Amino acid sequence: MIEVKNLVRTFKSGDRTIKPVNDVSFELEQGTLASIVGKSGSGKSTLLSLLGALDKPTSGDVVVNGVSLASMPDAKLTNYRRRDIGFVFQQFNLIPNLSAVDNVMLPMEFAGVRKAARLERARQLLEQVQLDPDKHVRRINRLSGGEQQRVAIARALANEPKLILADEPTGNLDEQTGEHIIELLSALSRDHNTTILVVTHDRSLANKTERRFRLQQGRLTEETTRTRATAAVTG
Amino acid sequence: MSVLARSVGNAFRNKVRTAAVVAVLAVAIGLALAMLVANQAVTGKVAELNASVGTVLTVNPAGGQGFEGGGEPLTAAQEATAAAVPNVTSVVGTKALRLRNAAEAAAETASGRTGQGGPGGQTATSVTTSLTAAVDAGTLGNRNQAASGASGSGTAGSTQAAPSFSLPVTATGIGAEVDSTGKALQLTQGTGLGDYTAASTGALLGTTLATKNGLGVGSTFTIKDQTFTVKGLFDAGTAFGNNALYVTLPTAQTLAALPGELSTMIVTVNSMENVDAAKTALQAALGSDKADVTQGQRNLQTAVSSLDSVKNISFIAFAAALATAGLIILLIMVMLVRERRREIGVLKAIGAPNRTIGLQFVLEALVLVAMGSVVGAAIASFASGGIASALISSSSSTTAATGQRGGPGGFPGGQGGAFGGASQLLTSVTASASPEIIATGIAAVFGVAIIGALVPALLTARIRPIEVLRGE
C-alpha cells in the first residue's frame, strides 16, 4: 500500500517559489491501476519522481508498505528503487550504446540475478512487449521511438517491482501497440498484484484505470473511482 | 553484460577520441616510465659506488706503495688502531706477494740474473710457484724489468739487454672476501675461502690465470713447495686483475715469512659524508711518517654527487609525468562523467549503487590507461636508455674534467678499474627497462587513474537522480 501524506515540492526560480506538488495526499491499495492526468507543467512528472524516490519532497512523506521514504538513507532508497520500483520515463532514458536486451538486463544485474537467468527473462519481457526478436540485440540508437518505448517498459518490469511508475508509456506508440501495452500493464496489475500509476495525456488509457486523478497547479483531485471490471468495460 | 564488458564498450564509444586519449596518455606514461627506469638505474649505480669505493680509504706504508718505494711496513697493531677511528666500519688488511714460476726462477738464477725485488726485501726466488703467468711480458714488461733490474734489490748480472722473461703472478693475502680495492670479489665458479683470518691451503684464482695453467675448482698447484687447492675462480674484469690469486691473509704472511706484516689496509667509512673526517683522523692516528692514507673516491664524490642530481631530476620528472598522466585521466573522466550525467542518473534511477557506477567509470579509465601503458611501456623501453644517457651526459659535462684517474689503488698498474674516471663511471650507468620497474610504474599510473576516475564519478553519483535527469 502506498500512502502519500501532504506532499509538497517547491523550487526556486529567481525570486519566485514554484510549487509543482502542493499538499498532495492519497492512498493506493496494492494492485491498483491508477492514472494521473493534467496539463503539461502541472507537476505530474515531479509527483512521479517523488513517489519513485528519485527526488526528495520539501515536506510531507510517502509511505510504502509502512516504511517512510522521507527518513530513508540514500543507500536504502537505491535498494527501494532497485527492488520495488519500475520506471518508464517519458524520454525512455535507455543506455544508447547497449543493446535492447542489455538494457533490460541492467536492473537485474544490479539486483544480483545470474547472467543466464537475466538473459532469459530479458528476452521473455521483450517478447511480451512485442519487440521483434531480431531487434533484441540491436543497439538502442538503432531502434525507432516506439521500439525504444517498448524496451523501456520491458526494463521497468525486469525485477517484478511492486510499483510501476509510467510517464506517458504509450506516447510514442501506434494505437495497436499502445493498446497492447495497456493490456500488459492491466494484466500485470491484475495477475501479479502490481500497483501501476500512469501519467498520461491519453484519455483512452486513463479511462481504463480503476482510479483517475487530475493534477492542477500542484493540487491533486480524484476524478473517478471504479472497480477494475467497470474500468475495463467502460474504458 | 557485466560491468567490465560495459566499461570496455564505453571506452570505445568514440573511437577517434579514444585513440587521441590513448596517444596522449602513452606519451605521459612512457615519459614517466622512462624517468623511473633512469632513476632506478642511477640509484643502483650510486648505491653500488657508495657500497664499494665511495667510502673506501687505502692505507699504504709511508713512502711505499705496493712493490714500489720504501718505508716501514704496516703492522697488525696499526690495523687495530685504524679500526678504532670514529666512523670506520671495517679494516681489511692485505699482504701482497710476487710469485715466480719455479722453473723460470731457477733458469734465471743459473744465468746469473735475479728477478724483481719485493717489498720488505722479499726476493722473487723466495716465493716460487708452479703457476705460469697468464700475461706475456711483451715490450712493456721487458722494459719495466730492465728498469727495476737496475734498482731492485737483486743484483744485476750485467749491463747487457736483459733476455725476455715471464711476468710474476700477483698473490694477495686478504682478510675478507674483497679485492685489493675493497670491492667484493666476483666469483664465477666455486666458493670463497671461508675464514679469511685463518691460514688455509685454499686459493681463489683469476679466470685467465686458471685457464693458462689448466686449473679448475678442486685443482691443485704449489706455492713455495706447499700444495694449494683452487676453491674458486673470480673475474676481476681486467687481464691484469685476472692474472692474480688470493689466499687468506695469514697464509700470505706465512708464505712471506713476515707474520703480522701488511702491505695495505682497506678502510671502509660508514658514509660518504664522513670520509674526509675519517681520513684526517686515520692519518693522525697512524702518523704521517708511518702511513699514507689515500682516498680513492675523491673524484668519485663529484661523480656520485652528479649522479645524485640526475637521480633527483629523474625522480621529479617521473613524479611530474605521473601527475600529468593523472591529470589527463582526471580531466578526461570529468569530461566523460559530465557528458554522461544523464546516464548516471538513469543507472541510479533503476537501482545502481554508487559503487557500481564508480566501478564502471574506474574500469573505463583503466581500459584507457592499460592501452596507454602498453604503448607507453614500448616508448619507455626504447627511450629510457637515451633519456638516461642524455640526463647523465648533460650532468656529467661539468664533472668530466675532474673525472681523471683516482688515487693510488694500492698496487701499481693494478686493479684500478673501480677507481677509474668519474666520467667513465657515469657512462657505465645502464638504464634497462626491467619488468619489475615497468610494473611498478604502471601500478603507480593505475593508482592515479583509479583516483582520477573515482572522484568525478562518485561526486556525480552522490547527487539525486532527478537533478541529473531534470537538468538535461
mmCIF file of all heavy atoms in Angstrom, chain A residues 163-186:
data_model
loop_
_atom_site.group_PDB
_atom_site.id
_atom_site.type_symbol
_atom_site.label_atom_id
_atom_site.label_comp_id
_atom_site.label_asym_id
_atom_site.label_seq_id
_atom_site.Cartn_x
_atom_site.Cartn_y
_atom_site.Cartn_z
ATOM 1 N N LEU A 163 5.632 -1.645 -7.599
ATOM 2 C CA LEU A 163 5.031 -0.397 -8.094
ATOM 3 C C LEU A 163 5.684 -0.004 -9.413
ATOM 4 O O LEU A 163 6.915 0.066 -9.501
ATOM 5 C CB LEU A 163 5.256 0.720 -7.049
ATOM 6 C CG LEU A 163 4.902 2.142 -7.461
ATOM 7 C CD1 LEU A 163 3.406 2.305 -7.727
ATOM 8 C CD2 LEU A 163 5.335 3.134 -6.370
ATOM 9 N N ILE A 164 4.842 0.222 -10.415
ATOM 10 C CA ILE A 164 5.374 0.707 -11.697
ATOM 11 C C ILE A 164 4.872 2.129 -11.893
ATOM 12 O O ILE A 164 3.678 2.413 -11.774
ATOM 13 C CB ILE A 164 4.937 -0.201 -12.860
ATOM 14 C CG1 ILE A 164 5.655 -1.554 -12.747
ATOM 15 C CG2 ILE A 164 5.269 0.453 -14.202
ATOM 16 C CD1 ILE A 164 5.269 -2.548 -13.805
ATOM 17 N N LEU A 165 5.841 3.023 -12.135
ATOM 18 C CA LEU A 165 5.510 4.429 -12.386
ATOM 19 C C LEU A 165 5.821 4.699 -13.849
ATOM 20 O O LEU A 165 6.968 4.566 -14.274
ATOM 21 C CB LEU A 165 6.355 5.329 -11.487
ATOM 22 C CG LEU A 165 6.185 5.086 -9.982
ATOM 23 C CD1 LEU A 165 7.265 5.830 -9.196
ATOM 24 C CD2 LEU A 165 4.802 5.502 -9.510
ATOM 25 N N ALA A 166 4.805 5.037 -14.595
ATOM 26 C CA ALA A 166 4.985 5.180 -16.047
ATOM 27 C C ALA A 166 4.586 6.577 -16.479
ATOM 28 O O ALA A 166 3.469 7.032 -16.212
ATOM 29 C CB ALA A 166 4.159 4.141 -16.775
ATOM 30 N N ASP A 167 5.541 7.254 -17.117
ATOM 31 C CA ASP A 167 5.303 8.622 -17.579
ATOM 32 C C ASP A 167 5.027 8.550 -19.088
ATOM 33 O O ASP A 167 5.952 8.308 -19.870
ATOM 34 C CB ASP A 167 6.553 9.457 -17.291
ATOM 35 C CG ASP A 167 6.255 10.945 -17.296
ATOM 36 O OD1 ASP A 167 5.148 11.319 -17.724
ATOM 37 O OD2 ASP A 167 7.149 11.718 -16.885
ATOM 38 N N GLU A 168 3.813 8.732 -19.478
ATOM 39 C CA GLU A 168 3.377 8.649 -20.885
ATOM 40 C C GLU A 168 3.882 7.353 -21.545
ATOM 41 O O GLU A 168 4.633 7.387 -22.524
ATOM 42 C CB GLU A 168 3.905 9.861 -21.676
ATOM 43 C CG GLU A 168 3.424 11.194 -21.186
ATOM 44 C CD GLU A 168 1.950 11.458 -21.510
ATOM 45 O OE1 GLU A 168 1.309 10.579 -22.131
ATOM 46 O OE2 GLU A 168 1.453 12.510 -21.110
ATOM 47 N N PRO A 169 3.476 6.211 -21.045
ATOM 48 C CA PRO A 169 4.029 4.955 -21.579
ATOM 49 C C PRO A 169 3.593 4.644 -23.003
ATOM 50 O O PRO A 169 4.254 3.855 -23.680
ATOM 51 C CB PRO A 169 3.497 3.896 -20.613
ATOM 52 C CG PRO A 169 2.250 4.481 -20.058
ATOM 53 C CD PRO A 169 2.483 5.944 -19.985
ATOM 54 N N THR A 170 2.496 5.249 -23.463
ATOM 55 C CA THR A 170 2.042 4.954 -24.828
ATOM 56 C C THR A 170 2.246 6.137 -25.764
ATOM 57 O O THR A 170 1.781 6.114 -26.897
ATOM 58 C CB THR A 170 0.555 4.551 -24.825
ATOM 59 O OG1 THR A 170 -0.200 5.622 -24.248
ATOM 60 C CG2 THR A 170 0.335 3.276 -24.021
ATOM 61 N N GLY A 171 2.936 7.113 -25.261
ATOM 62 C CA GLY A 171 3.086 8.369 -26.011
ATOM 63 C C GLY A 171 3.716 8.212 -27.379
ATOM 64 O O GLY A 171 3.373 8.943 -28.310
ATOM 65 N N ASN A 172 4.624 7.289 -27.514
ATOM 66 C CA ASN A 172 5.324 7.148 -28.789
ATOM 67 C C ASN A 172 4.911 5.889 -29.556
ATOM 68 O O ASN A 172 5.605 5.477 -30.476
ATOM 69 C CB ASN A 172 6.828 7.090 -28.530
ATOM 70 C CG ASN A 172 7.342 8.407 -27.992
ATOM 71 O OD1 ASN A 172 7.494 9.362 -28.724
ATOM 72 N ND2 ASN A 172 7.559 8.462 -26.681
ATOM 73 N N LEU A 173 3.821 5.307 -29.125
ATOM 74 C CA LEU A 173 3.440 4.033 -29.747
ATOM 75 C C LEU A 173 2.239 4.227 -30.674
ATOM 76 O O LEU A 173 1.401 5.112 -30.464
ATOM 77 C CB LEU A 173 3.075 3.007 -28.667
ATOM 78 C CG LEU A 173 4.155 2.721 -27.619
ATOM 79 C CD1 LEU A 173 3.633 1.714 -26.589
ATOM 80 C CD2 LEU A 173 5.414 2.183 -28.284
ATOM 81 N N ASP A 174 2.176 3.368 -31.686
ATOM 82 C CA ASP A 174 0.983 3.401 -32.534
ATOM 83 C C ASP A 174 -0.203 2.849 -31.731
ATOM 84 O O ASP A 174 -0.012 2.247 -30.661
ATOM 85 C CB ASP A 174 1.222 2.595 -33.821
ATOM 86 C CG ASP A 174 1.572 1.154 -33.531
ATOM 87 O OD1 ASP A 174 0.683 0.420 -33.056
ATOM 88 O OD2 ASP A 174 2.755 0.782 -33.720
ATOM 89 N N GLU A 175 -1.382 3.037 -32.263
ATOM 90 C CA GLU A 175 -2.590 2.711 -31.495
ATOM 91 C C GLU A 175 -2.619 1.241 -31.073
ATOM 92 O O GLU A 175 -2.923 0.906 -29.931
ATOM 93 C CB GLU A 175 -3.830 3.038 -32.346
ATOM 94 C CG GLU A 175 -5.112 3.077 -31.530
ATOM 95 C CD GLU A 175 -6.312 3.487 -32.388
ATOM 96 O OE1 GLU A 175 -6.098 4.176 -33.409
ATOM 97 O OE2 GLU A 175 -7.420 3.086 -32.031
ATOM 98 N N GLN A 176 -2.255 0.375 -32.032
ATOM 99 C CA GLN A 176 -2.335 -1.062 -31.765
ATOM 100 C C GLN A 176 -1.349 -1.473 -30.666
ATOM 101 O O GLN A 176 -1.704 -2.187 -29.726
ATOM 102 C CB GLN A 176 -2.033 -1.825 -33.053
ATOM 103 C CG GLN A 176 -2.407 -3.293 -32.970
ATOM 104 C CD GLN A 176 -2.002 -4.040 -34.232
ATOM 105 O OE1 GLN A 176 -1.559 -3.445 -35.224
ATOM 106 N NE2 GLN A 176 -2.158 -5.355 -34.193
ATOM 107 N N THR A 177 -0.098 -0.991 -30.778
ATOM 108 C CA THR A 177 0.904 -1.342 -29.765
ATOM 109 C C THR A 177 0.536 -0.710 -28.430
ATOM 110 O O THR A 177 0.721 -1.311 -27.372
ATOM 111 C CB THR A 177 2.309 -0.876 -30.206
ATOM 112 O OG1 THR A 177 2.523 -1.264 -31.559
ATOM 113 C CG2 THR A 177 3.395 -1.479 -29.337
ATOM 114 N N GLY A 178 0.021 0.518 -28.487
ATOM 115 C CA GLY A 178 -0.416 1.198 -27.269
ATOM 116 C C GLY A 178 -1.473 0.376 -26.546
ATOM 117 O O GLY A 178 -1.410 0.207 -25.317
ATOM 118 N N GLU A 179 -2.425 -0.149 -27.323
ATOM 119 C CA GLU A 179 -3.479 -1.000 -26.736
ATOM 120 C C GLU A 179 -2.839 -2.223 -26.054
ATOM 121 O O GLU A 179 -3.233 -2.609 -24.961
ATOM 122 C CB GLU A 179 -4.441 -1.483 -27.843
ATOM 123 C CG GLU A 179 -5.430 -0.424 -28.311
ATOM 124 C CD GLU A 179 -6.486 -0.125 -27.250
ATOM 125 O OE1 GLU A 179 -6.821 -1.037 -26.465
ATOM 126 O OE2 GLU A 179 -6.929 1.039 -27.169
ATOM 127 N N HIS A 180 -1.884 -2.774 -26.733
ATOM 128 C CA HIS A 180 -1.236 -3.975 -26.190
ATOM 129 C C HIS A 180 -0.521 -3.660 -24.875
ATOM 130 O O HIS A 180 -0.579 -4.438 -23.920
ATOM 131 C CB HIS A 180 -0.241 -4.543 -27.211
ATOM 132 C CG HIS A 180 0.542 -5.687 -26.656
ATOM 133 N ND1 HIS A 180 0.004 -6.950 -26.472
ATOM 134 C CD2 HIS A 180 1.822 -5.750 -26.184
ATOM 135 C CE1 HIS A 180 0.928 -7.725 -25.938
ATOM 136 N NE2 HIS A 180 2.033 -7.029 -25.763
ATOM 137 N N ILE A 181 0.126 -2.502 -24.847
ATOM 138 C CA ILE A 181 0.854 -2.114 -23.625
ATOM 139 C C ILE A 181 -0.132 -1.894 -22.479
ATOM 140 O O ILE A 181 0.113 -2.306 -21.344
ATOM 141 C CB ILE A 181 1.701 -0.845 -23.892
ATOM 142 C CG1 ILE A 181 2.827 -1.140 -24.883
ATOM 143 C CG2 ILE A 181 2.280 -0.280 -22.594
ATOM 144 C CD1 ILE A 181 3.836 -2.190 -24.435
ATOM 145 N N ILE A 182 -1.233 -1.271 -22.800
ATOM 146 C CA ILE A 182 -2.250 -1.047 -21.748
ATOM 147 C C ILE A 182 -2.746 -2.389 -21.204
ATOM 148 O O ILE A 182 -2.878 -2.575 -19.994
ATOM 149 C CB ILE A 182 -3.433 -0.223 -22.321
ATOM 150 C CG1 ILE A 182 -2.959 1.192 -22.661
ATOM 151 C CG2 ILE A 182 -4.571 -0.157 -21.314
ATOM 152 C CD1 ILE A 182 -3.914 1.959 -23.534
ATOM 153 N N GLU A 183 -2.971 -3.313 -22.107
ATOM 154 C CA GLU A 183 -3.418 -4.645 -21.681
ATOM 155 C C GLU A 183 -2.346 -5.326 -20.818
ATOM 156 O O GLU A 183 -2.654 -5.986 -19.823
ATOM 157 C CB GLU A 183 -3.722 -5.521 -22.895
ATOM 158 C CG GLU A 183 -5.073 -5.211 -23.521
ATOM 159 C CD GLU A 183 -5.251 -5.879 -24.882
ATOM 160 O OE1 GLU A 183 -4.538 -6.867 -25.135
ATOM 161 O OE2 GLU A 183 -6.056 -5.367 -25.670
ATOM 162 N N LEU A 184 -1.100 -5.142 -21.237
ATOM 163 C CA LEU A 184 0.014 -5.747 -20.490
ATOM 164 C C LEU A 184 0.082 -5.190 -19.069
ATOM 165 O O LEU A 184 0.206 -5.938 -18.090
ATOM 166 C CB LEU A 184 1.332 -5.477 -21.232
ATOM 167 C CG LEU A 184 2.595 -6.030 -20.606
ATOM 168 C CD1 LEU A 184 2.652 -7.543 -20.694
ATOM 169 C CD2 LEU A 184 3.831 -5.446 -21.303
ATOM 170 N N LEU A 185 -0.032 -3.867 -18.954
ATOM 171 C CA LEU A 185 0.022 -3.227 -17.635
ATOM 172 C C LEU A 185 -1.169 -3.663 -16.784
ATOM 173 O O LEU A 185 -1.047 -3.935 -15.585
ATOM 174 C CB LEU A 185 0.044 -1.697 -17.787
ATOM 175 C CG LEU A 185 1.291 -1.094 -18.438
ATOM 176 C CD1 LEU A 185 1.135 0.414 -18.630
ATOM 177 C CD2 LEU A 185 2.546 -1.371 -17.604
ATOM 178 N N SER A 186 -2.326 -3.727 -17.427
ATOM 179 C CA SER A 186 -3.533 -4.133 -16.721
ATOM 180 C C SER A 186 -3.404 -5.570 -16.210
ATOM 181 O O SER A 186 -3.772 -5.886 -15.076
ATOM 182 C CB SER A 186 -4.719 -3.996 -17.674
ATOM 183 O OG SER A 186 -5.904 -4.229 -16.999
#
